[in-house]
Amino acid sequence: IDTKKPFLGICVGMQLMASVGREHGDTPGFGWIAGEVAHLTVPDSSYKIPHMGWNDLRFDPAAHPVLKSLNPGDFAYFVHSYALRAQNSAHVLAHVDYGGPVTAIVGRDNLLGTQFHPEKSQRVGAAFISGFLNWRP
């Protein structure tokens, strides 16, 4: 990967950045973010799978330049049944609580990935994409 060019993976695009996906058997990923993509685990039936709808992002704005355009607690739109479980917690830039922590944004070097859909996340999504487009790794 050219480390000078920003890369953004959205939803399944972020999941492909992992080492392995566990949906319908084990499938190798790109291995850019060490970890696995596994089925969401929820504590009880009050949490529906797929996780679909709005959820509040939890993060430290100082963790990454693109996050400076967002505020902790901003809501983003999710549609997924699988989630990336990164081996290195430093690669998890944001998470949401859906019966436990679920990775929402990963990143390292010139790579970023979102489990949520910025294109469906209205103001927050537009702010995230604008921050990404202005980012110079």
Side-chain angles (χ1 to χ4, degrees), residues 5-121:
K5 291 184 181 176
F7 176 91
L8 176 60
I10 296 173
C11 195
V12 173
M14 181 191 88
Q15 293 178 0
L16 287 169
M17 295 167 67
S19 305
V20 64
R22 307 267 185 227
E23 188 172 359
H24 306 294
D26 290 355
T27 304
F30 296 135
W32 298 341
I33 301 288
E36 68 173 359
V37 175
H39 197 269
L40 283 171
T41 55
V42 293
D44 59 58
S45 62
S46 68
Y47 293 90
K48 304 299 179 202
I49 304 291
H51 170 211
M52 183 166 29
W54 297 91
N55 208 317
D56 58 316
L57 298 170
R58 298 166 185 210
F59 62 94
D60 175 1
H64 194 279
V66 174
L67 298 179
K68 291 178 183 174
S69 60
L70 306 178
N71 296 306
D74 279 348
F75 280 78
Y77 190 80
F78 291 80
V79 179
H80 65 115
S81 299
Y82 287 76
L84 196 157
R85 297 178 185 153
Q87 288 179 4
N88 184 341
S89 63
H91 293 161
V92 179
L93 302 179
H95 72 278
V96 295
D97 182 0
Y98 195 69
V102 175
T103 301
I105 303 173
V106 296
R108 71 170 184 82
D109 306 324
N110 63 313
L111 307 170
L112 278 177
T114 66
Q115 184 60 66
F116 66 92
H117 287 266
E119 77 282 6
K120 295 179 185 244
S121 296

